[in-house]
Amino acid sequence: MHLNWTALGEVTAVSIGVTVAVVVVFALGVLGLARLEGARQQPGGTSALGLGQAALCFLACAAVVAYGIYLIVPQLHPGR
């Protein structure tokens, strides 16, 4: 049995990198929600920026999860 250590290392590095990126983007989404909540507690304050930041970050996280599911489930691949 032959193992392709280079490919295994590449997969490991990409997996760790994507995991860290998703965690950072999710944390930025939580920060956006915190900004929104902080703005709502002030009289007359609204924060469309916080809501937009949270929405974009959570949408990006959902897209990464959906792409991962697409890669794992073979029935989703057309033409195979």
Side-chain angles (χ1 to χ4, degrees):
M1 175 191 241
H2 174 71
L3 291 177
N4 187 347
W5 291 103
T6 304
L8 181 62
E10 288 175 5
V11 168
T12 303
V14 169
S15 297
I16 291 171
V18 169
T19 301
V20 169
V22 169
V23 169
V24 168
V25 170
F26 189 85
L28 290 173
V30 172
L31 177 65
L33 287 178
R35 286 182 180 169
L36 177 64
E37 188 63 31
R40 286 185 178 172
Q41 289 179 354
Q42 296 176 358
T46 59
S47 176
L49 182 63
L51 181 61
Q53 175 185 348
L56 286 175
C57 289
F58 293 143
L59 184 63
C61 288
V64 170
V65 169
Y67 184 64
I69 291 171
Y70 169 77
L71 291 176
I72 292 171
V73 178
Q75 288 84 4
L76 297 177
H77 297 266
R80 286 190 180 192

